[in-house]
């Protein structure tokens, strides 16, 4: 009897998580076939069940101003927190963002990632500015430095890069504190560039 209850509860969790799951959760173009086809759905449901509030930490703007989580969201709704470092491991995701911004400008695309994403660099302001100078197309993004490693520790980051899908609930600037929820996270980002691009686009488009 207890096993039946557990199975039913797991099934309801999967169904209830369908609309809020990470952008890779549905896998309309799933690379998994056969008996493994349902695995992404189950994984996504588990990820949604483990959603948490964005923890408290301070990072520094390029103007050397300390800000906390309540000042980080670039907009209401769904957005991305991209945590990177200066080493080679973060080159791919930063280069991809730069490439997407270049495509947007060339094609006059309405999808503006910079309005739905922030970049936090592990290190001092000088480290963040060095990356920004290397990728000038990303100047419209909000950049922050994690000089004291508060974000690194409180977000339990073992190594950069990490991509967080976050949703801000509640109006900001109207006397009501917004709730920032981490819906999903991806560590390492060892994925195909085309797949990473779709993940980013799908999340920020689903408002």
């Amino acid at each position: 009897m207890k096993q039946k209850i557990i199975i039913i509860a797991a099934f309801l969790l999967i169904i209830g998580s369908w609309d809020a799951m990470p952008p890779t959760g549905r896998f309309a173009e799933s690379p998994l076939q056969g008996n493994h086809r349902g695995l992404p759905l189950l994984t996504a449901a588990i990820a949604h069940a483990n959603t948490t509030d964005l923890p408290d930490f301070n990072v520094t703007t390029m103007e050397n101003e300390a800000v906390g989580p309540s000042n980080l969201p670039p907009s209401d709704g769904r957005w991305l927190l991209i945590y990177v470092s200066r080493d080679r491991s973060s080159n791919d995701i930063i280069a991809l963002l730069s490439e997407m911004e270049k495509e947007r400008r060339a094609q006059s695309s309405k999808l503006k990632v910079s309005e739905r994403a922030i970049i936090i660099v592990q290190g001092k302001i000088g480290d963040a500015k060095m990356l920004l100078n290397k990728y000038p197309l990303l100047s419209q993004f909000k950049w922050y430095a994690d000089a004291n490693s508060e974000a690194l520790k409180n977000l339990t980051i073992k190594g950069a890069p990490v991509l967080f899908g976050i949703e801000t609930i509640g109006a900001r600037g109207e006397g009501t504190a917004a709730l920032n929820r981490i819906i999903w996270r991806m560590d390492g980002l060892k994925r195909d560039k085309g797949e990473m691009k779709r993940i980013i686009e799908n999340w920020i488009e689903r408002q």
Side-chain angles (χ1 to χ4, degrees):
M1 182 64 180
K2 190 175 292 186
Q3 288 181 335
K4 290 183 178 179
I5 293 174
I6 293 174
I7 293 172
I8 293 171
F11 177 76
L12 291 175
L13 175 62
I14 292 172
I15 297 300
S17 302
W18 178 258
D19 290 327
M21 64 179 55
T24 52
R26 298 191 186 186
F27 268 88
E29 299 176 323
S30 173
L32 299 177
Q33 303 295 332
N35 294 332
H36 301 288
R37 195 176 184 84
L39 184 58
L41 177 59
L42 180 59
T43 303
I46 293 172
H48 176 58
N50 293 331
T51 58
T52 60
D53 291 341
L54 186 65
D56 188 37
F57 57 82
N58 282 321
V59 288
T60 309
T61 68
M62 296 300 94
E63 292 74 36
N64 199 26
E65 177 184 357
V67 297
S70 61
N71 299 111
L72 292 180
S75 63
D76 293 328
R78 292 172 177 173
W79 53 283
L80 294 166
L81 187 159
I82 305 161
Y83 193 96
V84 300
S85 65
R86 277 186 53 201
D87 61 35
R88 294 176 57 185
S89 61
S90 295
N91 286 353
D92 289 348
I93 184 63
I94 300 175
L96 174 60
L97 292 172
S98 183
E99 181 181 307
M100 291 176 70
E101 178 61 17
K102 184 177 181 179
E103 290 177 359
R104 183 194 70 80
R105 296 184 185 186
Q107 302 172 4
S108 298
S109 170
K110 294 181 180 180
L111 181 64
K112 197 170 184 179
V113 181
S114 61
E115 293 180 350
R116 294 281 173 186
I118 67 168
I119 300 172
I120 298 180
V121 181
Q122 181 183 2
K124 300 179 180 179
I125 295 177
D127 297 317
K129 288 184 176 180
M130 188 173 296
L131 275 177
L132 180 54
N133 290 336
K134 186 177 179 181
Y135 297 94
L137 287 177
L138 301 181
S139 60
Q140 294 186 4
F141 282 74
K142 288 186 176 181
W143 287 73
Y144 301 92
D146 188 22
N148 297 320
S149 300
E150 286 188 31
L152 182 79
K153 295 173 184 175
N154 292 358
L155 288 168
T156 62
I157 295 172
K158 303 301 181 183
V162 183
L163 184 64
F164 295 87
I166 302 175
E167 185 168 18
T168 296
I169 304 170
R172 292 181 292 127
E174 297 181 2
T176 303
L179 176 64
N180 298 309
R181 296 283 289 172
I182 299 175
I183 306 301
W184 54 270
R185 67 182 286 169
M186 291 173 56
D187 294 74
L189 309 184
K190 299 295 184 181
R191 291 169 179 261
D192 173 75
K193 184 173 72 171
E195 183 182 358
M196 282 304 307
K197 183 178 179 181
R198 287 192 296 272
I199 289 170
I200 293 171
E201 291 175 340
N202 288 344
W203 180 250
I204 62 179
E205 282 180 340
R206 293 170 56 203
Q207 299 300 324

